[in-house]
Amino acid sequence: MIPAATSFDPLPVKAVGADLRASRFAPAPQVARKGVCVLLNGQTEFIEKYFEVIDELRSRGFAVATMDWRGQGGSARVAEDSRKSFVGDFSEYDEDLDALLNWIVAPMLAQGEKPIALAHSMGAHNLLRTLARQPGRFRAGVLSAPMIAVSFRGQSEFLVRAVSAFQMWRGKRMDWVWGMEARDPHKVTFQSQLATSDPQRFERTQSLLREWPDLRLAGATWGWLAAALRSMDWLAAPARPEAISTPLLLVGAGKDRICVTPRAEAFARRLPHATYFEIKDAEHEILMERNPIRAVFWTLFDDFMKQQGMSPKETAPQQG
């Protein structure tokens, strides 16, 4: 198998209102094909950060399709300061995922086949939006530290919502949320970051951002935060989780300082076909964690896929 870092070939995808950067990867040639996995990264992330994960999926027999959401990675930026995370409404992310599915994923599927998904944080949130809007679009999904509710770092939720609404009323939607400019990856150290307990994987991401500084994103604007709050409210509305029929595995991070793990667990209980598991020692970025933590995650992933009937013998190896 040629590693993802070597075979990476960016593909331009045009979504409504944005030009996106996507990519696709063939499964490892020596294993039986299991299907197509749509890999959805979180806020501030980018394709290159996930090369290790992509190769782990490929070694399991999955072809992989992935992208950078609008406003981050190699996709089109909205703010004049490219370090700012902004979106007018999370329905714009719906357009991104629809474009990926229609233009990249659909041609990869066998007749009658549906993809599975592996989605992290904001990517998991956006996947849930699509599952609520388009039941049956995916065969199954695994969600890592899903963004059901975000941590306000000791501030009351009422106060954060009130300040966000006030800043939007003032026309400050493109301004930094207080403290976010200091989260520029070029300023953050392992000691000050909040995402992983693995110094090696943290440094790997930092080295990528030093080599390609245009990929970096620091943090949220008031516009992004306001949109996220609206979307989290929409997703948690009465009957909405209960209507999601796709089989799901939600994996929470016991030491998450970015998303609120108990809220993810409570949300999972509302899903009719979901299993929840919490990795107690994991920080937010479970897939970028230390090897023992990642081993637990991949065991959960493999067991869940077996439960969905996706064993290696299901599909014969691809030819050519």
Side-chain angles (χ1 to χ4, degrees), residues 24 54 66 90 135 142 144 162 175 216 228 254 263 279 300 312 318:
R24 60 188 171 213
I54 290 167
T66 189
F90 270 46
V142 177
S144 160
D175 285 9
R216 80 190 196 277
R263 296 277 288 275
I279 304 179
L300 293 168
Q318 289 181 308

Side-chain angles (χ1 to χ4, degrees), residues 218-275:
T221 56
W222 292 110
W224 187 92
L225 178 58
L229 292 170
R230 290 196 306 272
S231 187
M232 288 186 287
D233 290 345
W234 180 89
L235 190 60
R240 189 151 284 131
E242 291 77 4
I244 295 175
S245 57
T246 307
L248 297 173
L249 169 64
L250 283 73
V251 183
K255 295 183 177 180
D256 202 326
R257 291 176 284 173
I258 294 173
C259 290
V260 183
T261 299
R263 296 277 288 275
E265 182 179 10
F267 185 89
R269 290 197 294 268
R270 297 177 60 187
L271 296 165
H273 303 289
T275 301

Side-chain angles (χ1 to χ4, degrees), residues 4-6 8 21 41 44-55 68 73-74 77 184-186 188 199-217 285 287-288:
T6 302
F8 177 43
R21 183 182 69 152
N41 57 35
T44 79
E45 295 189 308
F46 49 95
I47 293 170
E48 291 89 335
K49 184 175 177 178
Y50 279 80
F51 283 157
E52 179 182 25
V53 176
I54 290 167
D55 284 341
D68 294 332
R77 303 294 176 100
D184 186 322
H186 285 182
V188 173
Q200 285 76 34
R201 287 188 173 89
F202 171 77
E203 175 54 30
R204 181 183 64 192
T205 299
Q206 292 297 94
S207 66
L208 287 169
L209 292 173
R210 286 193 294 269
E211 187 172 359
W212 294 292
D214 289 345
L215 291 175
R216 80 190 196 277
L217 201 66
E285 292 183 354
L287 291 162
M288 307 296 155

Side-chain angles (χ1 to χ4, degrees), residues 37-104:
C37 179
V38 179
L39 176 62
L40 302 174
N41 57 35
Q43 194 230 7
T44 79
E45 295 189 308
F46 49 95
I47 293 170
E48 291 89 335
K49 184 175 177 178
Y50 279 80
F51 283 157
E52 179 182 25
V53 176
I54 290 167
D55 284 341
E56 288 166 319
L57 288 166
R58 297 171 69 208
S59 70
R60 286 167 165 78
F62 290 102
V64 178
T66 189
M67 69 172 174
D68 294 332
W69 302 102
R70 67 180 66 200
Q72 63 187 58
S75 292
R77 303 294 176 100
V78 179
E80 184 176 343
D81 184 339
S82 64
R83 299 173 302 154
K84 291 181 175 180
S85 179
F86 174 83
V87 72
D89 189 82
F90 270 46
S91 61
E92 296 173 34
Y93 293 140
D94 297 341
E95 299 287 357
D96 294 350
L97 184 48
D98 284 347
L100 179 71
L101 293 173
N102 292 335
W103 294 105
I104 302 297

Side-chain angles (χ1 to χ4, degrees), residues 10-22:
L11 298 171
V13 174
K14 192 151 190 82
V16 175
D19 294 326
L20 309 177
R21 183 182 69 152

